[in-house]
Amino acid sequence: MVIDVYEQYFRAEGKFSEVPRRAAIVKLTSDSEAGNIRYTVSVNFFPFRDDEDYAVSYDAYFEKEIYNARGRRSKKREKKFMEALRAEADSLAEENGALIKWDEPLKEARLG
């Protein structure tokens, strides 16, 4: 079962496939299967041409696995991952020549 523990849209800067990207969706996702739990942080940059444009493209999607072990979801573990989320997402953005503007959210965070 795949669950987005956290998801939020932010203004961003980057250029992928010759297209400027002005927004990003940042996620913490849990994926459990057969007694195993996996957590990933992902960032997906998209054009965001106007305030109604939330059409996410998948050519600028970056993901990092931060945990993979036997077990199940843990609120305590997820709290720890949330504390490190921005640093992990910034690392993904920086590695790919982009920037997330954390002080400019486009929507409220969704928690799952």
Side-chain angles (χ1 to χ4, degrees):
M1 180 185 331
V2 177
I3 297 171
D4 289 330
V5 176
Y6 166 86
E7 171 182 302
Q8 190 167 10
Y9 293 85
F10 294 92
R11 288 202 181 273
E13 292 178 9
K15 190 171 187 178
F16 301 94
S17 302
E18 302 301 318
V19 177
R21 309 304 166 104
R22 296 182 182 92
I25 182 170
V26 178
K27 293 184 181 185
L28 172 64
T29 304
S30 73
D31 184 0
S32 60
E33 182 178 339
N36 208 46
I37 185 80
R38 174 179 181 256
Y39 285 90
T40 57
V41 171
S42 64
V43 181
N44 193 342
F45 295 92
F46 61 100
F48 194 66
R49 293 178 180 95
D50 60 54
D51 289 341
E52 302 293 317
D53 181 16
Y54 285 88
V56 176
S57 53
Y58 290 94
D59 63 338
Y61 174 85
F62 308 100
E63 178 181 275
K64 180 179 181 181
E65 182 178 87
I66 58 172
Y67 185 85
N68 191 341
R70 302 271 319 142
R72 56 186 179 186
R73 280 186 74 184
S74 160
K75 295 292 181 188
K76 183 177 176 182
R77 185 182 306 126
E78 289 175 4
K79 182 180 178 192
K80 184 175 87 172
F81 295 153
M82 285 299 297
E83 290 169 359
L85 178 83
R86 285 187 180 199
E88 295 289 354
D90 279 340
S91 176
L92 285 169
E94 187 177 312
E95 288 170 12
N96 293 285
L99 172 72
I100 301 164
K101 297 181 177 182
W102 297 106
D103 58 340
E104 296 183 47
L106 295 171
K107 292 188 173 195
E108 293 295 317
R110 289 188 286 199
L111 305 173

